[in-house]
Amino acid sequence: MIRTATVQDVPEIIAMIRELADYEKALHEVRVTREQLETALFGSSPALYGLVAEHEGGVVGYTLWFLNYSTWRGTHGIYMEDLYVRPEARGGGHGKALMKELARICVERGYDRLEWSVLDWNEPSIDFYKSIGAVPMDEWTVHRLTDEPLRRLPL
């Protein structure tokens, strides 16, 4: 059901990235190209990793993740950038199976954390994450620099 993403999965992953962005009301922000995702996942120094969920021969979900590091814990962890299961496949255990595989990787490699962000209005996802034991980090606020503010800062 769960396997490591391959280069052949990239078009389906991009389609699901767009589906996720549409659900999150941010489709207009998606810029990723096939070439960018292939390089990130399969280039000479990949810094992004992917898993896909399959059902009846088709890809029905994915997760993309990368390593982070906790200076407090002194170990790497996984930051899950995306977790998505197509609506018609939800309830089939694919999301939980993807999360279990990420947790297995953490435990196997000695990583102390598996972290991600979720939109505060996304109750179905929040409920799912709580059901597997995740706790919100309410006292932390994510900050981000992008576009013009990011380009302007080094000047």
Side-chain angles (χ1 to χ4, degrees):
M1 179 192 283
I2 305 302
R3 64 172 174 76
T4 300
T6 67
V7 71
Q8 290 80 17
D9 296 316
V10 170
E12 278 299 304
I13 293 171
I14 288 176
M16 288 185 288
I17 288 170
R18 296 182 62 79
E19 291 170 25
L20 175 59
D22 189 43
Y23 173 75
E24 293 182 345
K25 303 173 179 78
L27 182 57
H28 62 282
E29 294 182 35
V30 176
R31 298 181 196 169
V32 68
T33 67
R34 182 178 181 158
E35 294 75 23
Q36 287 173 316
L37 192 55
E38 285 178 2
T39 299
L41 286 166
F42 309 108
S44 60
S45 298
L48 182 68
Y49 307 92
L51 300 169
V52 295
E54 283 186 317
H55 183 70
E56 297 179 353
V59 174
V60 297
Y62 78 99
T63 185
L64 295 177
W65 58 278
F66 54 89
L67 294 181
N68 58 19
Y69 186 83
S70 170
T71 57
W72 292 6
R73 298 268 179 137
T75 65
H76 281 289
I78 285 177
Y79 186 86
M80 181 177 65
E81 180 65 21
D82 288 350
L83 174 69
Y84 181 75
V85 175
R86 288 187 156 139
E88 63 273 13
R90 291 183 189 152
H94 307 292
K96 188 170 186 179
L98 287 163
M99 293 296 293
K100 282 179 150 184
E101 181 60 11
L102 289 179
R104 187 197 65 74
I105 292 167
C106 283
V107 171
E108 178 182 275
R109 297 181 186 179
Y111 302 161
D112 279 347
R113 291 182 178 166
L114 171 55
E115 297 180 311
W116 61 92
S117 297
V118 60
L119 291 166
D120 58 8
W121 57 260
N122 190 347
E123 287 297 326
S125 293
I126 292 168
D127 290 345
F128 166 70
Y129 294 136
K130 285 181 179 177
S131 79
I132 62 170
V135 294
M137 303 294 294
D138 293 333
E139 67 274 18
W140 294 86
T141 301
V142 175
H143 287 79
R144 178 179 293 161
L145 276 173
T146 61
D147 303 322
E148 189 54 33
L150 178 64
R151 288 187 289 276
R152 195 174 46 241
L153 186 60
L155 301 177

